[in-house]
Amino acid sequence: MTDVTIKVQENGPYLVSGAVTIVDADGTVYDVGDRKVVALCRCGGSTTKPFCDGTHSRKGFDAAERAVARLEGGKEADAEPASPPPPQH
Ligand code: FES
């Protein structure tokens, strides 16, 4: 078994390292050759989806999200409790 790591780039793609097979919704397998790292678009702007083509830099993609630490049992740690929705009038 090989390890796969997915690293989120700051305001950029997901960098996937390790032996992976990428398959689209129709079952088509993308040939990634013998690349050790594959960059997958998460900004939605790439013209070579699912791969990143650098468009995120030109369009100023800003992804502020961070992984939320989780405790066993599925409860979120480190996250602020959700605020109740505003009252409906
Ligand atoms: S993340 Fe790079 S083009 Fe979308």
Side-chain angles (χ1 to χ4, degrees), residues 8 27 41 48 64:
V8 180
C41 177
T48 60

Side-chain angles (χ1 to χ4, degrees), residues 6-82:
I6 302 174
K7 181 171 184 356
V8 180
Q9 288 294 101
E10 185 81 27
N11 300 323
Y14 296 110
L15 297 181
V16 182
S17 59
V20 295
T21 301
I22 300 172
V23 183
D24 74 7
D26 297 327
T28 304
V29 176
Y30 290 92
D31 180 13
V32 294
D34 58 357
R35 284 190 271 180
K36 302 238 183 301
V37 178
V38 177
L40 298 179
C41 177
R42 70 180 176 122
C43 77
S46 174
T47 59
T48 60
K49 292 182 196 79
F51 304 104
C52 170
D53 68 356
T55 298
H56 62 271
S57 294
R58 292 187 292 281
K59 73 178 206 175
F61 177 56
D62 181 16
E65 75 274 9
R66 290 286 189 263
V68 176
R70 300 230 176 228
L71 298 174
E72 287 187 31
K75 292 187 173 187
E76 293 182 2
D78 299 336
E80 294 293 319

